[in-house]
Amino acid sequence: MEKISVFLDDYRKAPEGYVLAETIDECIYLLRNYDIDHLSLDHDLTSKIRNGTMLVEIMIQKQLYANRITIHSANSYCGKAMYKSLKQAQLDCLMPHTINIYLRPMPLHY
């Protein structure tokens, strides 16, 4: 399976070397069909319901992960909640402890 890095965001451009996913459905497709080395997640997307929090819930439920996960959302409250959900999944043995999870908010304009 091909190894890629994925950047979920509907506003920012993906960094060089990353595949851009603008919706959680695109991101889920990539998680199911590729070996993801680094997954960088935003919370606030065009859909207010189908956002980063919903993606994290689906990832935990369906056991869809990457080798490294970064929450880059500028939404501090929801970004922290996504981070805490992933860390709790590790504590509950629902997600491998070998996955590195980071909370690194990114400004909207960089």
Side-chain angles (χ1 to χ4, degrees):
M1 192 179 290
E2 184 181 351
K3 188 176 277 200
I4 62 172
S5 293
V6 175
F7 190 79
L8 172 68
D9 206 302
D10 65 336
Y11 183 76
R12 299 173 190 90
K13 292 181 181 179
E16 189 173 327
Y18 282 73
V19 174
L20 178 65
E22 294 181 322
T23 67
I24 68 169
D25 296 308
E26 291 173 7
C27 193
I28 291 167
Y29 173 84
L30 294 169
L31 283 162
R32 286 188 170 145
N33 293 288
Y34 293 87
D35 182 12
I36 310 292
D37 180 47
H38 183 222
L39 177 63
S40 190
L41 301 176
D42 190 18
H43 177 270
D44 298 339
L45 302 170
T46 303
S47 172
K48 301 299 181 202
I49 298 168
R50 298 184 65 74
N51 55 35
T53 297
M54 178 181 271
L55 175 63
V56 165
E57 292 169 359
I58 292 168
M59 287 171 59
I60 294 167
Q61 179 185 34
K62 303 287 186 185
Q63 296 193 344
L64 299 170
Y65 303 116
N67 296 327
R68 293 180 294 134
I69 302 171
T70 300
I71 309 301
H72 70 254
S73 181
N75 181 328
S76 62
Y77 180 81
C78 293
K80 285 178 189 171
M82 291 167 63
Y83 174 81
K84 288 179 182 179
S85 292
L86 291 168
K87 294 302 275 184
Q88 188 62 50
Q90 284 183 318
L91 290 173
D92 295 340
C93 297
L94 299 173
M95 180 176 158
H97 290 90
T98 56
I99 296 172
N100 294 314
I101 304 167
Y102 306 100
L103 178 60
R104 297 209 171 111
M106 185 182 236
L108 290 176
H109 303 283
Y110 63 98

